[in-house]
Amino acid sequence: QLAYYSNKGQFTADDRTDSDITTAVIGVHGSGRDAGTYLCALTAVVTDISKDQVFASKKDRRRPLPKDVLVVAPWFMSPEDNAPPTSSLPYIQWDDQYPIPHTFRYGAESTKIDLKHNMTISSFGAMDVLLEQLCDRKHFPNLRRIVVVGHSAGGQFVQRWALSSNSWCFGGGQFANRWTPEADLPHVRVVVANP
């Protein structure tokens, strides 16, 4: 599984439904792989914008409240990272040195997840899975917008991923209307900072 930090705890459980969430923010870390720091910074930003009328929704002039916003910071771990002991499943990892530094930002395949079956997943594929969990109306029936932001190497990752993604959450791709009609999809915005 993809390791992540979240202001709402684990949200990828199959049976969880959260009808309070109207906005999700996904923040992708840079080469330092400090996802926890990104979670703290984005949570602080959400708290700040909840107090400022400038950020009110144009439709209903209501500012987003922190309780309505899910903040997620995926952690593209390398084998050198100490995996959190919170899961019986193995965490997905990407090589941090070979063939180039910080391979996750290029969409590289993970190290082998399951040696018996020789399974891997690209970092872009893992991000698509994360996004599609959020777009699933069964879990987040009132989610209206998703903002994916990346800084530095995270900005490089977000830019490359967004350009190459075939996720149905963008309203296109081969599975676009398999789970939800396009009109019912949350609006996905991608923000790239200092790539």
Side-chain angles (χ1 to χ4, degrees):
Q1 73 180 6
L2 178 64
Y4 65 86
Y5 290 91
S6 165
N7 66 333
K8 305 283 185 187
Q10 182 179 2
F11 69 90
T12 56
D14 288 337
D15 59 348
R16 180 173 173 183
T17 299
D18 195 332
S19 57
D20 290 335
I21 302 299
T22 60
T23 302
V25 179
I26 302 172
V28 180
H29 62 75
S31 59
R33 297 188 312 276
D34 51 347
T37 302
Y38 280 70
L39 174 73
C40 292
L42 289 170
T43 302
V45 168
V46 167
T47 301
D48 287 348
I49 67 170
S50 71
K51 300 173 188 173
D52 194 333
Q53 188 62 36
V54 170
F55 292 100
S57 167
K58 291 178 183 174
K59 184 176 180 183
D60 58 15
R61 301 308 302 165
R62 184 177 153 264
R63 292 185 301 271
L65 299 175
K67 73 175 188 62
D68 302 331
V69 180
L70 172 65
V71 179
V72 181
W75 185 12
F76 292 97
M77 296 174 59
S78 80
E80 292 82 31
D81 294 324
N82 293 322
T86 57
S87 176
S88 59
L89 298 173
Y91 286 101
I92 305 168
Q93 299 177 335
W94 284 266
D95 198 306
D96 197 39
Q97 298 300 320
Y98 180 81
I100 51 177
H102 317 299
T103 59
F104 79 91
R105 66 182 163 170
Y106 299 102
E109 290 294 312
S110 65
T111 57
K112 290 181 178 57
I113 300 167
D114 179 349
L115 296 176
K116 181 179 176 184
H117 297 99
N118 202 26
M119 293 173 41
T120 64
I121 186 171
S122 74
S123 55
F124 293 169
M127 188 65 163
D128 282 344
V129 170
L130 176 64
L131 182 69
E132 290 168 5
Q133 287 174 323
L134 293 173
C135 288
D136 188 342
R137 291 294 183 201
K138 176 174 62 175
H139 300 295
F140 298 100
N142 297 316
L143 185 64
R144 294 191 309 251
R145 71 187 68 81
I146 300 171
V147 180
V148 183
V149 61
H151 173 260
S152 191
Q156 293 174 34
F157 170 88
V158 168
Q159 184 172 19
R160 292 175 180 125
W161 162 76
L163 288 170
S164 64
S165 177
N166 194 31
S167 173
W168 54 269
C169 292
F170 286 106
Q174 61 185 5
F175 303 114
N177 295 310
R178 185 169 177 180
W179 289 279
T180 183
E182 187 173 335
D184 196 34
L185 289 171
H187 174 73
V188 179
R189 171 178 270 175
V190 176
V191 179
V192 175
N194 304 315

